[in-house]
């Protein structure tokens, strides 16, 4: 499967629902942690940074954008289910 984790999980659960499958098998251990960010939130952060962010001389040359909250792949699969 060549897709991002969230669309892949949604597809698996949708197909399982359509075929009345009794269970859904996911890949891996489910323990890796990931942080998910909605594209609209990233867009707003980019516009904010371009218009207002002025790094100081001690700041790194990059800007991290995120929610600060991560979850396991298993937790994400359970939420999608």
């Amino acid at each position: 499967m060549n897709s991002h984790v969230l669309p892949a999980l949604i597809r698996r659960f949708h197909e399982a629902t359509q075929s009345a499958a009794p269970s859904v098998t996911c890949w891996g251990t489910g323990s890796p942690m990931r942080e998910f960010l909605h594209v609209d939130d990233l867009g707003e952060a980019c516009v904010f940074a371009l218009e207002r962010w002025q790094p100081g001389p001690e700041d790194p040359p990059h800007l991290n954008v995120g929610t600060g909250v991560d979850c396991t792949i298993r937790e994400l699969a359970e939420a999608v289910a």
Side-chain angles (χ1 to χ4, degrees):
M1 184 174 298
N2 265 343
S3 68
H4 296 282
V5 67
L6 188 53
L9 285 172
I10 292 170
R11 181 178 179 173
R12 280 185 184 236
F13 283 103
H14 174 71
E15 289 173 350
T17 300
Q18 294 218 312
S19 67
S23 65
V24 174
T25 301
C26 294
W27 58 98
T29 64
S31 61
M33 302 292 286
R34 296 289 183 268
E35 180 178 14
F36 294 93
L37 177 68
H38 193 274
V39 67
D40 290 346
D41 295 331
L42 177 58
E44 285 183 30
C46 289
V47 170
F48 175 84
L50 289 169
E51 292 178 346
R52 298 189 192 116
W53 185 58
Q54 296 181 3
E58 310 258 334
D59 291 328
H62 61 275
L63 177 65
N64 283 330
V65 175
T67 63
V69 177
D70 49 0
C71 68
T72 65
I73 300 299
R74 178 185 200 96
E75 291 168 335
L76 180 65
E78 290 170 352
V80 170

